[in-house]
Amino acid sequence: MENEEEAEALSSNPTREALDLDPALQKKRQTMLERLSNRHQTRTDSSLTRRSAESDSASSPSFESTSTFLSRFSNSKSSIESQLAQCRLSDPTQLKPQLDQISSSISDLEKLVAENSYFLPSYEVRSSLKAVSDLRQSLENLSAELLPKKKFSFRNKGPKKDPIAEPKEKEKEKEPEKSGFRVPASPGIWNKKGETLVHNFKGSEVGEFTISDLDSCEVRLMGSVRALFVHRLRNCKVYTGPVTGSVLIEGVEGCVLVMASHQIRIHNAKRCDFYLRVRSRPIIEDSCEVRFAPYCLSYKGIEEELRETTLDEETENWANVDDFLWLRAVQSPNWSVLPENERVGLIDISNSEEVRPLPVLLVSMCAWSKR
Amino acid sequence: MGLLSIIRKIKRKEKEIRILMVGLDNSGKTTIVLRINGEDTSVVSPTLGFNIKTLTYQKYTLNIWDVGGQKTIRSYWRNYFEQTDGLVWVVDSSDLRRLDDCKMELDNLLKEERLSGSSLLILANKQDIKGSLTPEEIGKVLNLEAMDRTRHWNIVGCSAYTGEGLLEGFDWLVQDIASRIYVLD
Ligand SMILES: Nc1nc2c(ncn2[C@@H]2O[C@H](COP(=O)(O)OP(=O)(O)OP(=O)(O)O)[C@@H](O)[C@H]2O)c(=O)[nH]1
Ligand SMILES: [Mg+2]
């Protein structure tokens, strides 16, 4: 079929001289050449993609083109930048619509990243999002400067319209019965209020452990486990030794969590402080007002346990948080680094033998209560 | 381009198998892919987007697409459905609480027209963790017996930590795809 095209092109090109003389034919030839070169381009592109996919590498070739995206992205970006620059020179009465226009261009750019993020290398996603966020920041600065009197507000700004703060859908109770099989309960701590709960894994054969549905409790877990699940906690403090696999946190509010793990995933957290030691990048999803600081736990034997689980080294990853909800948006407003003067300091839970109930009052003395 | 080179190219392509790995976040997809590729698994971050690995397996070239399973990026899965020969659904067998989510997402996936021709391997991962459900139990929870009878499927217990079960699973998948697609080979 390709050969047919080429043959057609050749046959419509009987003699060079004739073509050069006839403008109509020349135009036709030009179109034909363009078509052919496009086809050639597509073929080369796809064979390139194939070749790079064949080469055994960790890189992410894809069927779409990263470079096409990048050039489109940078075009729109420069156009927005020059629009921003022009604002300073424009008629003040025209300013508001102009800024609105720029704001919607930025949203479009953001959408472009979103639509392409599935094939882009994550570095490109990250840096594009950073660029979008910077543009938005410039726009905000500019409007604050040029529109000092009128309160100019953006759609996705302001505490009222926080999409995350509003509870999505009511957590629905799960029905344990499914196709005649009853899922057993995991080992863990469930349904407690106002207690101090101590558990030492040392010497035991616990694989996975769950702490779930706790209100105003203090949980101290010593020794290491492979996987830890944390579910529905309110106003709790949770201190844990090393987790060799991952910690999965879902639905925590007003808590302080001090944990060390290879991976930490945080879903639906609100007003919580996390003190983490983690080998990979911690992530948050559907969370807000969460703050991060380095791990700060101490008990007898913890150093050795951390060493054995290769969690002895401070990787500084506690501050490299990825917010998956803001993958397609500006720099996440949902998390921040906990200021040093608000951090709790070293927590020593060595003397945890005696189990004493924790006064509920104590728990509300959290750093965020200032907010 | 001569006829011979065209034939050679088609032959070469024929040996390629495209595999899509999906499942809930934290199920161990990335760790599994790294493990079967003999790479370091000690530092793995949750996948923001996807990874692709190309590796040679027996006489086939496997293109493995490992797509992130965090809730916010599940909507991107559909971008990878096209031309999928094999679907690997990874389950964290120690995450008892989210088995319902897991079943729901799998059911949705299997409704997908574009995936209807692909073989399905379910990996009941993290078998090394005490308290994990066995592959049989996972099979019951996911109600696999009720699956469309035209689907080729299998469930295998595995651990990305010990490597146990991975070869068995991928062997089955590759054989199943190969016998379905490349009968004349
Ligand atoms: N004990 C144990 N832990 C595992 C196993 N496989 C994976 N893990 C741990 O489970 C966590 C999640 O693994 P990942 O490979 O990142 O999971 P994923 O499915 O790629 O997650 P997403 O990229 O978010 O979709 C990591 O902390 C792994 O170390 C296993 O077989 N046994
Ligand atoms: Mg992954």
Side-chain angles (χ1 to χ4, degrees), chain A residues 263 265, chain B residues 25-26 28-31 44-49 51 66-69:
Chain A
Q263 231 185 44
R265 298 163 182 258
Chain B
D25 50 297
N26 197 45
K29 300 176 289 295
T30 307
T31 315
V44 179
S45 289
T47 308
L48 195 144
N51 303 301
D66 158 29
V67 189

Side-chain angles (χ1 to χ4, degrees), chain B residues 52-67:
Chain B
I52 177 173
K53 275 271 140 66
T54 303
L55 47 112
T56 311
Y57 194 83
Q58 298 162 357
K59 52 189 176 178
Y60 302 97
T61 303
L62 307 189
N63 278 321
I64 305 185
W65 295 68
D66 158 29
V67 189

Side-chain angles (χ1 to χ4, degrees), chain A residues 53 56 63 114 118-119 179 181 184 205 226 231 246 250 263 265 267 279-281 283 285 327-328, chain B residues 18 25-26 42-45 47-48 50 54 70-72 76 79-80 96-97 128 130 140-141 161:
Chain A
D56 181 19
F63 298 128
Y118 75 91
F119 71 82
S179 58
F181 181 78
E205 271 252 331
R226 293 206 176 194
H231 185 217
S246 61
E250 181 136 358
Q263 231 185 44
R265 298 163 182 258
H267 304 156
R279 297 258 302 183
S280 55
R281 303 173 68 96
I283 67 140
E285 198 176 62
L327 177 70
R328 286 157 280 169
Chain B
R18 186 174 145 122
D25 50 297
N26 197 45
S42 65
V43 182
V44 179
S45 289
T47 308
L48 195 144
F50 72 97
T54 303
Q70 286 289 144
K71 211 184 242 161
T72 31
Y76 289 104
N79 294 316
Y80 305 90
L96 310 184
R97 189 178 66 80
D128 62 289
K130 193 166 170 266
K140 274 186 205 150
V141 177
Y161 272 22

